[in-house]
Amino acid sequence: MPPVADVSRVPVTERVSPHALDMESRGAKGVLEALAACDAEMWAELHADDESARDSPAHPGLTHPTVVAKIARLALAVSRCVASDTPETPAAVLVVGCGTSGRLAFQCARAANEGSSSSRKRKRKPRRAVIRHVLAGGDAALVQSAESCEDDRERGAIDFHQAVASNGPNEKKIASLVVVGVSCGLSAPYVSSFLAEAGRFGARREGGKDPPRVARFALGFNPTRDAPERGGFRALVPSESPEEVPPRDEQAVADVCFVNPVLGPELVAGSSRLKGGSATKMILDAAFAVADSDAADERTAAELTSRALSAFEAATRRTHECAVSRDAAWASACA
């Protein structure tokens, strides 16, 4: 067990959970109880940096209204992008990630396309699959680890253009684009590079006859100030100070929406496959479901997003209630 870190310097996703400190001494049932307690933190509206400090800043959690509003904004962007897709004005929603995040992107994109296709068949409006995943290392990384790919900035930019060009022989035809970059710790250079290149692509096309609509979202679970400098995400945050050094690449920065609720430390320190993975899937599934509902405005989209998250919360809590029930059947199986 690593020592409890100095919370003032360590990103939230890398800190040690207090639920893990005595977990190993409580047996299998204790492990399940610790998992339940840690997962329950996902549903807090606010997370303090240090609960023992009165003046500790609080960060929005998964159910905070500002986070719900951002997920709704993503849903509306996806809905409008999908609706605009025609042979003459092709559109694409690209969900990009590395490792587990990329595999979740694959699952969510595939499920969204299947669900949306069924919905549109009922409406007699069949369409092609607009929502697509991009995984660092390619689809081979779905089944085989490709860890070093997440640090490849150059490959991220190259893969962006390849993903856009896959809509047809000429990437200049694309009319609408939504890019969702998933990095639980806001730490993957490949993903931040992909997002930055999407911004430059839209800016370069501004002088053209039909400039594309490009919307970009960064999905992770650290406050932006805790994003590691080397990851590149802090460079995508719009500057609040005109004197900031070094100067920002404004083409790469403009209009990036950060969907980054704080969930608290993972039970296994740094393992964002746990709460981070669960929250990633719930956020993407909720956003794509709301997008398929044809919500007309931000208020309706936010209401539907809140209902979707509430359903996920109920399912999560029920699962853990079964796991730590008095008959301890799950604990026995775990042991």
Side-chain angles (χ1 to χ4, degrees):
M1 175 67 65
V4 177
D6 176 357
V7 297
S8 65
R9 294 186 299 166
V10 178
V12 175
T13 56
E14 303 301 312
R15 296 177 190 171
V16 176
S17 171
H19 302 296
L21 297 180
D22 64 343
M23 176 181 65
E24 296 173 354
S25 65
R26 294 189 289 141
K29 191 170 187 292
V31 171
L32 295 176
E33 290 172 341
L35 281 167
C38 201
D39 273 5
E41 293 175 345
M42 283 193 293
W43 308 108
E45 187 171 303
L46 290 169
H47 283 271
D49 266 350
D50 183 356
E51 294 181 355
S52 64
R54 292 184 179 180
D55 59 348
S56 176
H59 302 292
L62 184 56
T63 58
H64 193 278
T66 61
V67 173
V68 172
K70 289 179 178 180
I71 300 172
R73 178 177 168 185
L74 168 59
L76 288 175
V78 170
S79 178
R80 292 163 183 163
C81 183
V82 170
S84 72
D85 181 63
T86 70
E88 296 74 28
T89 59
V93 177
L94 305 177
V95 191
V96 57
C98 308
T100 300
S101 294
R103 296 179 192 108
L104 288 170
F106 163 76
Q107 291 182 348
C108 294
R110 182 171 181 175
N113 281 317
E114 291 177 351
S116 188
S117 295
S118 299
S119 173
R120 295 196 180 262
K121 283 178 183 178
R122 293 194 296 270
K123 299 174 184 177
R124 298 183 180 180
K125 293 182 180 179
R127 63 164 182 83
R128 70 189 183 97
V130 175
I131 304 172
R132 302 203 305 276
H133 73 282
V134 179
L135 175 59
D139 282 356
L142 286 170
V143 294
Q144 184 174 2
S145 177
E147 297 295 337
S148 61
C149 295
E150 71 176 35
D151 294 324
D152 195 337
R153 296 177 188 274
E154 183 178 353
R155 188 73 244 176
I158 292 171
D159 284 358
F160 166 76
H161 289 286
Q162 289 184 348
V164 171
S166 66
N167 272 323
N170 186 355
E171 70 174 25
K172 292 183 178 179
K173 288 183 62 179
I174 194 135
S176 184
L177 180 66
V178 174
V179 179
V180 185
V182 186
S183 175
C184 290
L186 297 179
S187 58
Y190 174 93
V191 177
S192 65
S193 174
F194 196 104
L195 283 167
E197 192 63 22
R200 299 185 188 101
F201 170 76
R204 282 197 293 267
R205 290 275 304 276
E206 285 295 331
K209 183 178 179 181
D210 298 306
R213 296 183 299 275
V214 179
R216 295 176 296 156
F217 296 83
L219 173 57
F221 307 107
N222 276 325
T224 53
R225 66 158 202 211
D226 283 354
E229 187 68 44
R230 61 174 290 278
F233 281 86
R234 286 166 64 181
L236 296 176
V237 180
S239 173
E240 296 181 358
S241 170
E243 295 82 20
E244 184 167 357
V245 178
R248 303 287 185 174
D249 180 345
E250 295 303 329
Q251 291 181 342
V253 171
D255 301 324
V256 178
C257 176
F258 277 78
V259 184
N260 59 324
V262 170
L263 309 175
E266 297 284 5
L267 188 65
V268 178
S271 180
S272 52
R273 294 176 178 86
L274 299 174
K275 282 191 292 191
S278 297
T280 295
K281 192 170 192 309
M282 288 187 285
I283 288 171
L284 292 177
D285 282 349
F288 292 150
V290 173
D292 197 43
S293 71
D294 296 324
D297 53 52
E298 292 183 4
R299 180 177 178 179
T300 303
E303 290 176 352
L304 292 173
T305 299
S306 183
R307 286 168 55 185
L309 293 176
S310 294
F312 283 127
E313 178 181 4
T316 302
R317 292 189 184 280
R318 180 56 183 157
T319 298
H320 284 303
E321 286 173 3
C322 291
V324 296
S325 59
R326 291 182 179 177
D327 61 13
W330 285 27
S332 298
C334 182

